[in-house]
Structure formats: structure tokens, C-alpha cells
Amino acid sequence: MTEAHFAAFQTISADNHPIHYDVEYCRERGHRGPLAHGFQILCFTAAGASTFAHAVGDALIAFVEQSSKFLKPVHPGDTLYPMLEIAALTPQRSTGVVTLAATIHNQNGEVVLTGEQKILLRKRPPA
């Protein structure tokens, strides 16, 4: 995570709270520096940025649900390691829902985010 990432996300989100950019404001509150916005960290779990989207191909219909917990602060200079794992498959008539467990660790091996995503997929015809 670089200061440029923080600035770009601030521009995109229009979130101008000083906790995300003002070093002195953050230090006065006991933080070593600005805190990344939770949604900024969540972006690193996008299934489309992984091999998942390529594996499901045209079966992908929609991203339908997401939940997350932000467990540790993320600061400029931190390195993030996202991971998605298939946690459940829920078949339906002509579709199905795949539930992905999402985690992000930082450079110290600490979990900074946990969550879950649900993706609606079209069933493929039997081969």
C-alpha cells in the first residue's frame, strides 16, 4: 500500500475524513499514520482479480453478496496478501451460488480482513 493508493482511493470514494490522509490527526489519536479505508482493503479481494473469474468463464452471472470484518489497521507501506477459498457450493435449478471465504494478511502474517462473498453461476450442461 502506497500513499498514492490512499490518494487514489480518496479521490474515487470522495471520503475526505482526516483519518485516511492527515498524519498529524492520526498520530494525535495514537495511530502511526493514516488508516486505509475499509472498502479500499476490501477491493483486494475482488474475485475478478484472481484466477477464479478465468476458471468459471461464461458461467459467471453476478456478484450477489459480500460481508467483511476489518480486524487490523492498514497503513501506507504495508504489504497485503489476499486469499480466496471456496467455502460452499449451493446448487439451484439452473444456477448455483459459490461462497468464497476471503482473508487478507499483512506482511507480519496478521489477518487484517476476513469476509465472505457469494457469486451466482450458471450451471454448465452435462458433458
Side-chain angles (χ1 to χ4, degrees), residues 75-94:
H75 302 278
D78 284 348
T79 301
L80 301 180
Y81 300 94
M83 184 172 70
L84 295 173
E85 292 182 285
I86 295 174
L89 299 170
T90 308
Q92 299 172 354
R93 183 177 273 174
S94 61

Side-chain angles (χ1 to χ4, degrees), residues 36 47 56-57 79 95:
V56 298
T79 301
T95 62

Side-chain angles (χ1 to χ4, degrees), residues 10-49:
Q10 181 183 1
T11 300
I12 287 280
S13 69
D15 185 332
N16 292 310
H17 193 282
I19 198 80
H20 302 304
Y21 68 88
D22 187 325
V23 174
E24 290 309 313
Y25 177 92
C26 294
R27 287 186 181 152
E28 288 170 3
R29 284 150 184 83
H31 302 290
R32 65 180 166 118
L35 305 178
H37 193 293
F39 288 129
Q40 181 180 8
I41 303 311
L42 182 61
C43 290
F44 287 95
T45 67

Side-chain angles (χ1 to χ4, degrees), residues 52-69:
F52 175 80
H54 301 286
V56 298
D58 291 343
L60 180 67
I61 298 173
F63 176 54
V64 295
E65 188 175 326
Q66 187 281 322
S67 66
S68 55
K69 291 181 182 179

Side-chain angles (χ1 to χ4, degrees), residues 78-124:
D78 284 348
T79 301
L80 301 180
Y81 300 94
M83 184 172 70
L84 295 173
E85 292 182 285
I86 295 174
L89 299 170
T90 308
Q92 299 172 354
R93 183 177 273 174
S94 61
T95 62
V97 175
V98 61
T99 301
L100 301 173
T103 55
I104 298 180
H105 291 79
N106 65 16
Q107 69 279 2
N108 300 318
E110 300 168 316
V111 179
V112 300
L113 176 143
T114 61
E116 183 177 275
Q117 301 175 10
K118 293 187 179 181
I119 313 284
L120 181 65
L121 301 175
R122 182 178 299 105
K123 284 186 179 177
R124 293 189 173 140

